[in-house]
Amino acid sequence: MTHIERFFATIDKKPVDYPASWLGLPVPEAQQPLKEYFKINDIKEMTTAINDDIYPIELPYHSPVSDAIYTALSFARNTGEEHDDFERTLTAPGFFQDYSDPAKVEDFDWPDPKKYIDLDELEREIEAAPKDKVIMGVLWSAHFQDASAAFGMETAMIKMMLEPEMYKAVNERIIQFYLEANEIFYKAARGRVHAVLIGNDLGSQDSLLLSPDLIRDLVLPGTKRFVEQAHSYGLKVIHHSCGAIRPIISDLIDTGVDVIHPIQALAAGMEPQGLKDDFGDRVAFCGGVDAQYLLVKGTKKEIEEKVAELKSIFPTGLVLSPSHEAILPDIPPENVEALFKSIQ
């Protein structure tokens, strides 16, 4: 099978020669060891080096406050300290922390995505992508996480309960920003991209961050709009949420997502066999290979055994991948190699 055929057959739960795979997104600190080990010049060559199926493309966004679409909305109050994208915290006070009037949502200087999305760079990225791979747009559109940052996470949760209209007003404005940004991407990439990755982190290691009812009321309606937008362009939707999200998996399926990412292997309730038994006929999954311990400390044999176990549970319907999309520098490159050799 070709990479593209394998991906679509896997997520459509049809027979495959072996399940589709995705490495994830190596963080900057992990890239140099991978380049040296696999003898490549650019981390983008990893897809070919390990014979992976998915080639991710991030939406190029460059503004005075951000070089990534997922940090485009800078809500942190001015503390006199400079932080890069990887040092942001949701616990910092947000712009709307003291707001109670939904009519004042435009007090924030909302960026215009048309001004900061670099279409020339996007065109170069798409043209440079290998034509035999599944091209996946990494759009995130993490409206829940951004709304949490807009108030500060603790304040956001209080607003949800005591001033829901204020929370909903900010959340709606965030959703509008991403819908517009995504539309720009979809029109520019039309016919040349196969799938998109969106999502919000809704779970911890042991439980959901919010009650299922709050997630259904305040988060998933926005998610459904993003899914419908992507589907209107004929794209498959991979939805990301870390953690123990089992109580809302059925709800995520109802939004129309095609793939739930990741199976976080050590999170409560995310055992692969149970997910297969309860949801395997309704949705595909991505993940399953533990990146908290197994890929960090495990042996080649242990990795091979885990992959064999996952393939026996999910002969199809699971895109095999580390249990988190961020490949960290504590994962030895030789274990990445062992993972992909085991899959194929």
Side-chain angles (χ1 to χ4, degrees):
M1 304 182 78
T2 67
H3 296 289
I4 296 171
E5 290 170 344
R6 184 177 302 111
F7 171 77
F8 281 104
T10 296
I11 67 173
D12 289 339
K13 300 172 286 296
K14 295 179 179 179
V16 290
D17 49 356
Y18 54 82
S21 62
W22 180 40
L23 169 64
L25 303 170
V27 301
E29 296 84 355
Q31 293 182 12
Q32 189 58 34
L34 290 169
K35 288 191 287 187
E36 292 175 358
Y37 184 87
F38 288 98
K39 298 180 173 57
I40 57 178
N41 297 315
D42 190 303
I43 199 65
K44 295 176 182 178
E45 298 172 15
M46 277 295 295
T47 306
T48 299
I50 59 177
N51 198 34
D52 204 358
D53 293 302
I54 297 175
Y55 185 93
I57 291 179
E58 297 209 34
L59 177 59
Y61 183 94
H62 307 290
S63 77
V65 300
S66 176
D67 278 319
I69 190 66
Y70 52 84
T71 56
L73 301 174
S74 180
F75 291 113
R77 292 186 173 184
N78 185 7
T79 62
E81 299 178 4
E82 294 294 329
H83 297 289
D84 65 26
D85 292 345
F86 293 95
E87 292 177 332
R88 294 191 314 148
T89 171
L90 297 179
T91 61
F95 179 90
F96 288 102
Q97 180 175 5
D98 301 320
Y99 277 68
S100 296
D101 184 356
K104 294 186 176 182
V105 71
E106 293 299 330
D107 282 5
F108 181 72
D109 185 17
W110 297 95
D112 180 353
K114 294 191 297 294
K115 291 175 59 177
Y116 302 120
I117 291 174
D118 189 332
L119 290 176
D120 291 336
E121 182 180 346
L122 176 59
E123 184 65 24
R124 291 193 298 270
E125 290 286 338
I126 293 174
E127 285 303 307
K131 299 301 184 285
D132 64 333
K133 304 286 187 179
V134 173
I135 311 303
M136 180 179 71
V138 180
L139 301 183
W140 292 120
S141 308
H143 58 294
F144 164 66
Q145 290 169 230
D146 277 314
S148 297
F151 295 98
M153 194 159 199
E154 182 176 350
T155 302
M157 292 185 174
I158 294 171
K159 296 286 186 185
M160 289 177 188
M161 303 300 294
L162 301 182
E163 299 178 6
E165 294 310 311
M166 184 66 224
Y167 179 88
K168 289 179 180 179
V170 172
N171 187 49
E172 175 61 26
R173 190 62 180 80
I174 292 166
I175 289 170
Q176 289 297 328
F177 170 83
Y178 283 120
L179 286 172
E180 186 174 351
N182 294 352
E183 191 76 12
I184 293 169
F185 174 86
Y186 294 143
K187 287 180 177 177
R190 188 193 296 267
R192 297 180 291 170
V193 172
H194 304 91
V196 293
L197 178 68
I198 64 170
N200 290 280
D201 285 335
L202 299 170
S204 69
Q205 192 79 7
D206 301 312
S207 65
L208 292 170
L209 299 180
L210 305 172
S211 72
D213 284 343
L214 276 177
I215 292 173
R216 292 171 189 134
D217 182 34
L218 298 177
V219 180
L220 296 186
T223 298
K224 183 176 177 63
R225 289 161 70 183
F226 292 128
V227 173
E228 290 174 347
Q229 182 187 34
H231 281 169
S232 74
Y233 283 87
L235 302 174
K236 296 295 186 180
V237 178
I238 301 171
H239 183 279
H240 168 87
S241 176
C242 292
I245 62 167
R246 187 187 184 96
I248 59 159
I249 286 178
S250 184
D251 301 284
L252 279 171
I253 295 170
D254 288 343
T255 69
V257 301
D258 301 290
V259 183
I260 291 176
H261 170 273
I263 297 179
Q264 185 168 321
L266 302 185
M270 299 299 287
E271 297 81 8
Q273 186 65 62
L275 297 179
K276 168 66 173 176
D277 292 343
D278 293 347
F279 307 107
D281 61 340
R282 298 178 61 200
V283 75
F285 289 91
C286 179
V289 184
D290 170 37
Q292 292 177 270
Y293 177 83
L294 178 61
L295 287 177
V296 177
K297 300 286 188 181
T299 65
K300 177 182 176 182
K301 182 179 179 182
E302 289 171 328
I303 293 169
E304 290 172 346
E305 289 173 348
K306 175 53 66 175
V307 171
E309 175 190 336
L310 289 168
K311 289 169 74 172
S312 69
I313 295 170
F314 285 95
T316 188
L318 172 65
V319 178
L320 279 161
S321 181
S323 63
H324 195 279
E325 91 288 347
I327 304 301
L328 301 178
D330 58 356
I331 296 179
E334 54 266 32
N335 281 357
V336 172
E337 181 179 48
L339 167 60
F340 280 84
K341 284 188 174 180
S342 301
I343 294 172
Q344 299 159 18

